[in-house]
Amino acid sequence: RMPRHVQQLRDHDLNPCVAETDASRKCMDDNNYNKDMCTAYFLKYKSCRKFWHDIMMQRRRNGVKPEMPSAEERKKMLESMG
């Protein structure tokens, strides 16, 4: 059984950037932990975190619950943006 914080990191409803996390980790594994080879993956992850953090803060300000949209809701939001 995984520790609770690890489960939360793997939960697509709580962590909108699971795919970016996995891609970064895979890149590091594939490139013998040479960070220079994975810069693009790190930037994607950072952009993902910033984007959803900004949405979460906006929802918090507006009193919207839950503060982090569910995976399904996020998918619809992204589709509506094109």
Side-chain angles (χ1 to χ4, degrees):
R1 188 163 142 70
M2 284 189 276
R4 185 167 165 71
H5 72 280
V6 174
Q7 277 179 317
Q8 288 178 330
L9 289 174
R10 302 299 311 159
D11 184 335
H12 289 271
D13 281 329
L14 298 176
N15 179 1
C17 302
V18 172
E20 291 78 3
T21 303
D22 291 348
S24 295
R25 194 168 291 135
K26 182 179 182 330
C27 180
M28 290 291 281
D29 288 344
D30 292 350
N31 290 287
N32 204 22
Y33 293 85
N34 178 350
K35 288 183 179 160
D36 296 336
M37 301 291 287
C38 302
T39 306
Y41 292 98
F42 298 152
L43 288 174
K44 275 187 195 165
Y45 171 79
K46 198 172 171 183
S47 297
C48 179
R49 295 298 303 174
K50 181 181 180 344
F51 178 81
W52 290 112
H53 180 264
D54 291 347
I55 296 232
M56 197 171 80
M57 296 312 290
Q58 186 67 51
R59 286 169 66 107
R60 185 176 293 165
R61 278 193 295 277
N62 295 340
V64 177
K65 296 280 184 197
E67 290 165 358
M68 178 56 71
S70 69
E72 187 58 37
E73 195 178 345
R74 289 193 310 268
K75 185 175 176 233
K76 289 177 182 159
M77 290 167 76
L78 290 173
E79 284 169 356
S80 74
M81 295 167 74

